[in-house]
Every structure is written in structure tokens, then in C-alpha cells.
Amino acid sequence: MTELRRLDDNLWVAEAPQRFMGLEIGARMTCVRLSDGRVLLHSPVSASPPLVQAVAAVGPVAFLVAPNRLHHLYVAEWQRTCPEAKTYAAPGLEKKRPDLHIDGALDNRPEPGWSADVDQVAVGGFPLANEVAFFHRPSRTLILTDLAFRIGPDHALLTRLVFRAIGGYGTLSPSLLEKLGVRDRAAFREGLQAIFAWPFERVIIAHGDVAETGGRAQLEASYAWVLNP
């Protein structure tokens, strides 16, 4: 059963099963309670009744965030569950999912509704995802989706074997998909530099284990091929 797991003051995650290309990679939603008591859901997982109840106990859901062009599968479920919530999506998702009502496109400027607690930066140069990275200032936590993976020993054998081969096993790292998918390295580097300007240590990702400590050093090492050309 999917449930909320508290990581810090006003910061929770919920993990759920998720398969991609035959691999069980799991998925993770981040739940942020903002200073005004409202809730932002980042990369929603399925809106099961127990999870909806757990989120409601945190506060009223005001914002649904689809942070890249790949993380949108369950947004409609939450829109039906929380009809008052506004939906913000990565650039390009409106064309991929014309069935979704999207209130605004994410860019480098945080929406006024969450700017007191959360910063963001749109990472260019990787059009497959068009990912927007987030930083929860009170907990110094970086929130990503597909810019890094951290598959560990608790994952299925096939998943472990594949990520050992393509990257993203045991340490925060992009996979071969990210490396091949970068189309504009200068724009991608600019986005990463903006991310590293934030004083984060913990890193939440959508697939793999949360890095409670050492996340910054792991990402700097794994992205040295972009940051130090």
C-alpha cells in the first residue's frame, strides 16, 4: 500500500511500483507542505484512497506539478480527486497530453504560490524530458525526476543488472539515456550550474533510493562530463 513517508519538516515522499520498458524501477512522488499550509504534489503517483487520505491529513492540495514530459501518468487522477488544485507542467507536455487541463507552464521562475518555499530551474538541452528541477529551501532538498537514478540492492535483479550497465546504480547518476538525449550541451550545462548554485545535500529522485547525505558530491561526480568539458 502506497503511503507517505516523512523526510523532514513539511516534506514527505510516497513510493509506488512502476515499470518502464519491462523493468520495475518504481516511482516517487514528493509532497511539500508550504508555509501557508497548502500542499504541492510533485510528480504524482496513483491516487489510491489511502494515499489521498494521507495527503489530505497534511493539508489541502493546491498545486499538482508534472516536472517533465515523462512524469504525467497520474496527474488526471489527482485532478479529479482535487478539483481545486492548479496544474503546472514542463514545457511541451501540453502538446503530448492535450487531454490534461494545464494552468501554466513551468520555467525558471517559481510560481508565486510556492515561491516562499521552493525554487526551480528549467534544464534545457534535453528535449526528451524538458525537466524542471526544484529546491525546497527549508530542508535544503533538491527534487529531481529523471536527471539522476540511484538503483540499489533492493531492486529486482534485472533492474540492477541493466542499471549497472547503463549507469544509475549505487550512486546518483544519469543513465545512458540522458547522456545520449542531450542535444544542446551548453544549455544543459547552464541548467546544471543553476542547480549547483543551490545549497542542497539531500536529493530526492523519482526512480531509485533517496540520497539523504552526499547527494551533491555524487551528482557533481556523475555530471563531470558536462560541468568540466
Side-chain angles (χ1 to χ4, degrees), residues 5-8 11-15 27-32 42-43 131 133-134 136 139-150 172 200-212 215 219:
R5 177 166 63 92
R6 185 175 179 176
L7 296 185
D8 210 314
L11 185 68
W12 296 259
V13 293
E15 287 101 5
R28 179 174 292 107
M29 174 180 80
T30 302
C31 173
V32 179
H42 172 279
S43 188
E131 180 155 342
F134 290 79
H136 183 234
S139 65
R140 299 165 66 99
T141 300
L142 175 64
I143 307 172
L144 303 177
T145 44
D146 295 326
L147 289 180
F149 301 82
R150 191 169 178 249
L172 285 169
F200 68 89
E201 188 64 24
R202 177 192 289 118
V203 180
I204 297 173
I205 51 176
H207 312 293
D209 301 324
V210 173
E212 286 286 350
L219 281 180

Side-chain angles (χ1 to χ4, degrees), residues 12 34 101 161 168 181 197 206:
W12 296 259
L34 303 168
H101 173 76
L161 292 174

Side-chain angles (χ1 to χ4, degrees), residues 20-21 23 25 70 126 128 145-151 162-169 171-182 188 207 219 222-223 225:
F20 179 73
M21 298 181 66
L23 298 176
I25 59 174
L70 303 173
F126 183 29
L128 176 65
T145 44
D146 295 326
L147 289 180
F149 301 82
R150 191 169 178 249
I151 302 301
V162 169
F163 278 88
R164 280 183 182 273
I166 68 173
Y169 181 83
T171 187
L172 285 169
S173 173
S175 72
L176 184 61
L177 178 65
E178 281 68 43
K179 293 181 179 180
L180 294 177
V182 173
F188 195 64
H207 312 293
L219 281 180
S222 64
Y223 270 116
W225 57 280

Side-chain angles (χ1 to χ4, degrees), residues 25-104:
I25 59 174
R28 179 174 292 107
M29 174 180 80
T30 302
C31 173
V32 179
R33 182 165 57 198
L34 303 168
S35 298
D36 62 9
R38 296 184 297 170
V39 168
L40 179 154
L41 295 184
H42 172 279
S43 188
V45 296
S46 183
S48 66
L51 181 57
V52 170
Q53 184 176 10
V55 169
V58 171
V61 177
F63 305 108
L64 303 173
V65 173
N68 73 19
R69 295 181 67 248
L70 303 173
H71 282 249
H72 55 81
L73 296 179
Y74 304 105
V75 171
E77 290 185 16
W78 284 94
Q79 287 181 330
R80 291 190 293 269
T81 301
C82 307
E84 300 302 317
K86 292 186 176 181
T87 299
Y88 292 86
L93 186 60
E94 74 284 353
K95 296 179 180 178
K96 185 175 182 179
R97 290 292 307 274
D99 58 306
L100 287 178
H101 173 76
I102 297 175
D103 294 283

Side-chain angles (χ1 to χ4, degrees), residues 182-228:
V182 173
R183 294 290 180 261
D184 184 337
R185 188 169 290 199
F188 195 64
R189 181 183 304 114
E190 183 178 354
L192 291 178
Q193 289 171 336
I195 288 173
F196 283 108
W198 293 328
F200 68 89
E201 188 64 24
R202 177 192 289 118
V203 180
I204 297 173
I205 51 176
H207 312 293
D209 301 324
V210 173
E212 286 286 350
T213 60
R216 184 184 193 88
Q218 292 177 46
L219 281 180
E220 285 179 331
S222 64
Y223 270 116
W225 57 280
V226 177
L227 295 169
N228 306 303

